[in-house]
Amino acid sequence: MEPAVSAPRPSWLAALNPPIYLVSILPGLGVFLLAADRVAAPSTVALATLAVVLLQHGINLLNDAADWRLGADVEKFTSWVRFHDGEPATAARHGLLSLLAGGLLGLYVLWLGQQWWILLPALPLVLLGYAYNAGDRPLSYTHFGEWVTGVCYGPGVFGCLWLVAGFGFDTGWWLGSFAFGLLAVALLLSHQPPQIATDREAGKLSFAVRYGGQRTVLVVRVLFLLWGLLVGAGLYIAVGNWPGLLFGVAILIGVVRVWMRPVSPKPVLLSATALTLVGLSLQALVA
């Protein structure tokens, strides 16, 4: 199926779709949530989170360019390729510039803290994220697409932000890496059911193509529940009994909200954001 080039050109705000960047912002907030009041340089973590947002923006552009070339997501009328007048090469250049900006900002953050050793785990994961959309057979089109997303946003984003904050490979690192990896996969899966037909036609082996929309929706809900339980456990460890228990109640409310509504990216992201803010508020009460 060929993309409908004649479709109206989206505005830059529609193409940007700002809420989608919550998937990069939430791990940064998660660092503050699971570390309680132990973050020594909050501004450094904030800058590192901005670097992640720029990297995500670049990957989103490369993803739109790859999908356009390979014939997937033809129903996506807010594609960055449409914004760039149907030119996937222009969208890809835009994406590479954003990747460069995010990479340079990330290096600046490491220079500020003299934490160059973090490049050892970070650089391979950045390259893995690039390979997600690169080439004639990107990883996003294979059985590994969901796994790559989980690894890049779990140990890759949360894990490296946790290290930038001055912590090590401790309980918080493991809980947060698993939690935000699962949340990223849940978000990815929440996009897939409406795109099954076009993804299958393009040869994209997404989870929904392999297992169907109904199972995909169930897995999104289960992953969201696991995210909440892991973050709740981390908050319980960080700040003690009653805030952790109250957060557990909030998790149940959030899970019910996600479980009872049709699954799509917006309720997943907004529910996760609301729960994170509830957790930060509870943490502030005991600070």
Side-chain angles (χ1 to χ4, degrees):
M1 185 182 297
E2 290 296 324
V5 181
S6 60
R9 182 175 183 262
S11 68
W12 71 268
L13 189 61
L16 185 66
N17 188 16
I20 203 68
Y21 294 93
L22 287 169
V23 73
S24 291
I25 295 170
L26 285 172
L29 294 177
V31 169
F32 292 99
L33 182 63
L34 299 187
D37 58 351
R38 296 179 294 131
V39 178
S43 60
T44 301
V45 177
L47 279 178
T49 303
L50 176 58
V52 172
V53 169
L54 290 170
L55 292 173
Q56 181 196 348
H57 180 59
I59 290 171
N60 287 349
L61 278 146
L62 294 178
N63 184 59
D64 281 358
D67 283 340
W68 187 276
R69 287 193 296 264
L70 296 171
D73 280 1
V74 295
E75 73 286 348
K76 185 178 180 182
F77 293 104
T78 56
S79 169
W80 277 106
V81 180
R82 295 188 191 280
F83 177 80
H84 288 294
D85 299 319
E87 296 290 339
T90 304
R93 285 194 293 272
H94 180 173
L96 290 173
L97 285 173
S98 187
L99 287 178
L100 177 62
L104 290 174
L105 182 56
L107 291 175
Y108 174 68
V109 168
L110 297 183
W111 174 78
L112 284 176
Q114 291 299 297
Q115 296 173 303
W116 298 110
W117 64 272
I118 296 178
L119 284 175
L120 293 174
L123 188 57
L125 292 169
V126 171
L127 294 175
L128 186 63
Y130 176 77
Y132 184 80
N133 296 302
D136 295 330
R137 187 66 175 172
L139 289 175
S140 61
Y141 279 69
T142 71
H143 292 78
F144 302 106
E146 292 80 25
W147 289 98
V148 169
T149 298
V151 169
C152 286
Y153 274 95
V157 175
F158 177 89
C160 288
L161 289 174
W162 186 261
L163 298 175
V164 165
F167 307 114
F169 297 97
D170 52 15
T171 302
W173 187 92
W174 288 100
L175 283 173
S177 294
F178 274 110
F180 287 96
L182 294 176
L183 180 63
V185 175
L187 178 64
L188 175 65
L189 294 181
S190 71
H191 282 87
Q192 292 181 357
Q195 302 168 355
I196 289 176
T198 53
D199 283 353
R200 182 181 288 119
E201 187 174 343
K204 195 171 189 177
L205 300 176
S206 68
F207 185 93
V209 167
R210 301 196 308 271
Y211 298 107
Q214 188 173 355
R215 184 177 295 184
T216 301
V217 167
L218 175 62
V219 172
V220 170
R221 290 167 171 162
V222 170
L223 292 179
F224 186 83
L225 171 62
L226 292 175
W227 169 80
L229 292 175
L230 289 169
V231 173
L235 183 64
Y236 182 87
I237 292 170
V239 299
N241 295 338
W242 70 266
L245 293 174
L246 286 177
F247 189 65
V249 174
I251 288 169
L252 289 176
I253 295 171
V255 167
V256 168
R257 183 173 183 270
V258 170
W259 208 280
M260 298 301 293
R261 297 182 62 186
V263 165
S264 66
K266 185 176 180 179
V268 171
L269 275 174
L270 293 183
S271 296
T273 302
L275 285 173
T276 300
L277 294 176
V278 166
L280 287 169
S281 299
L282 292 172
Q283 182 196 99
L285 289 176
V286 298

